[in-house]
Amino acid sequence: MSNVIVVGCGRVGSQLANMLSDNGSNVCVIDRNVDSFANLGRNFNGSTIQGVGFDEETLEKAGIDECDVVAAVTQLDNTNLMCCEVASRLFGVPHVIARLYSPDHERAYMQLGIDYVCGTSLVAEDVFSKVVSGHGAHLDTFGEFEVLRFSLDLSWSERNTIRVAEMERDHDIRIVAFERGDGSASSIPTRESILYNGDSVLACVRHELIEQFSKYIQD
């Protein structure tokens, strides 16, 4: 059972909170407008707190000290970013997810290492799948496979680079695409393509291999 804080109780936040509650999570919803809690309906099992989602006192009342996931899904990118930064950096919440409205802010979110969902449809479902997957790199699930997007971590290795063929051979995965860490280039790789520490990578991985492969995923 996960302890989840959802910031924002509009259409997306209320839908997400109900999905998580129905899935067995302990859910607390934060919104500055008390009237918005009516969106949750009568069958919502969790708790609600009126307040600002990046306010430390409000987060402490919501139980952030025992929180596994914070999902900030308000209609303001800056608010969602601040909620995730406070939850991650001040309270050490292991998994934070932000709703992203403007694609112009996407690179900033990636550089800060903030997991996010960008789009106008199926946002609640996308955030829900990230919460229940248990890790921030999750994008989607296809049968026994997960699609992951992550910044490549080679800090544990003596080398700063790795060939795509080596990663695919040793971990039975498929590298779908990559982008240089500085944004200078992106490509669909060949087996001989070289990846560098900090590159953004899109990969398809079997469920049972994710724990073994996680050493390549920056926190």
Side-chain angles (χ1 to χ4, degrees):
M1 181 179 292
S2 297
N3 297 314
V4 184
I5 294 175
V6 176
V7 181
C9 196
R11 181 184 59 81
V12 171
S14 59
Q15 183 182 357
L16 174 62
N18 276 294
M19 292 171 69
L20 290 167
S21 180
D22 291 344
N23 195 55
S25 295
N26 292 320
V27 185
C28 181
V29 182
I30 298 173
D31 199 290
R32 65 176 67 205
N33 180 7
V34 69
D35 293 334
S36 68
F37 297 135
N39 294 324
L40 293 165
R42 296 180 179 179
N43 296 324
F44 177 61
N45 255 345
S47 59
T48 60
I49 292 181
Q50 182 182 13
V52 177
F54 50 82
D55 177 73
E56 295 178 41
E57 185 176 347
T58 299
L59 288 168
E60 287 172 348
K61 288 179 181 177
I64 198 166
D65 290 332
E66 298 180 352
C67 185
D68 302 300
V69 185
V70 168
V73 292
T74 77
Q75 296 183 3
L76 300 173
D77 284 349
N78 288 340
T79 296
N80 295 338
L81 177 62
M82 290 175 66
C83 291
C84 288
E85 285 283 275
V86 170
S88 176
R89 298 184 185 277
L90 292 187
F91 291 100
V93 176
H95 191 181
V96 296
I97 307 166
R99 182 182 185 183
L100 175 61
Y101 269 86
S102 172
D104 294 340
H105 299 154
E106 188 170 7
R107 184 169 299 282
Y109 275 51
M110 291 183 63
Q111 290 174 343
L112 290 169
I114 293 176
D115 195 13
Y116 63 92
V117 168
C118 183
T120 56
S121 62
L122 300 179
V123 175
E125 289 88 343
D126 289 343
V127 177
F128 176 77
S129 68
K130 283 176 175 288
V131 172
V132 299
S133 73
H135 54 87
H138 171 87
L139 285 181
D140 209 342
T141 300
F142 291 93
E144 59 185 306
F145 299 93
E146 285 203 39
V147 180
L148 310 179
R149 179 174 179 172
F150 57 92
S151 293
L152 182 63
D153 185 3
L154 296 175
S155 61
W156 52 269
S157 173
E158 295 179 355
R159 297 177 295 166
N160 194 47
T161 64
I162 188 169
R163 280 197 313 136
V164 167
E166 182 180 346
M167 290 184 71
E168 293 185 337
R169 180 194 67 227
D170 293 349
H171 298 281
D172 192 23
I173 68 165
R174 179 59 53 87
I175 305 299
V176 180
F178 70 89
E179 182 180 33
R180 294 303 180 207
D182 60 4
S184 61
S186 60
S187 178
I188 297 175
T190 67
R191 291 176 55 79
E192 301 306 314
S193 296
I194 302 296
L195 300 176
Y196 293 83
N197 186 60
D199 283 354
S200 180
V201 177
L202 188 67
C204 187
V205 187
R206 288 182 184 273
H207 293 303
E208 67 268 20
L209 299 179
I210 288 177
E211 183 175 355
Q212 170 190 339
F213 183 74
S214 61
K215 65 180 180 180
Y216 290 106
I217 301 175
Q218 288 187 17
D219 294 331

